[in-house]
Amino acid sequence: MDRDFNKRWSDFSGRYDTRPCHICNKQSLNFDEYKRDNIAGTDVVAVTCMNCGHIELFDVAVVSKIADEIDEEYHRKGWR
């Protein structure tokens, strides 16, 4: 699929941004202000919990795969 990361991130975060933080169990992960970087040769996205400061890391390749599956689901359902 020929979609840029921002579109993929929008699909991914739209599905998962309601998940609670694994540390404080509050729904405070800030998917809107993510940071992208490369750690040990892996492209990652970092999301911070606004309640406790925990940083959640997501592998960009996995995020892209999941987002493309979400996009396909939306097309099958006629939502796009």
Side-chain angles (χ1 to χ4, degrees), residues 1 5 21-22 24 29 32 40 43 47:
M1 299 208 147
F5 179 77
C21 172
H22 295 296
C24 69
L29 293 174
D32 292 333
D43 288 328
V47 175

Side-chain angles (χ1 to χ4, degrees), residues 1-3 8 14 17-18 24 26 35 39-40 42 48 50 53 56 60 62 64-65 71 74 77:
M1 299 208 147
D2 189 26
R3 297 184 333 132
R8 286 182 168 126
D17 68 353
T18 58
C24 69
K26 303 279 187 203
K35 304 287 188 238
I39 299 175
T42 302
T48 305
M50 296 185 304
E56 193 83 23
V60 170
V62 174
S64 295
K65 180 178 180 274
D71 185 54
Y74 289 172
K77 291 181 176 181

Side-chain angles (χ1 to χ4, degrees), residues 5-22:
F5 179 77
N6 289 330
K7 289 180 182 175
R8 286 182 168 126
W9 183 251
S10 178
D11 284 345
F12 179 83
S13 64
R15 171 92 39 109
Y16 294 100
D17 68 353
T18 58
R19 305 283 175 157
C21 172
H22 295 296

Side-chain angles (χ1 to χ4, degrees), residues 2 10-11 14 23 28 36 41 49 54 67 69:
D2 189 26
S10 178
D11 284 345
I23 303 300
S28 298
R36 278 187 76 174
C49 176
H54 169 73
E69 291 170 359

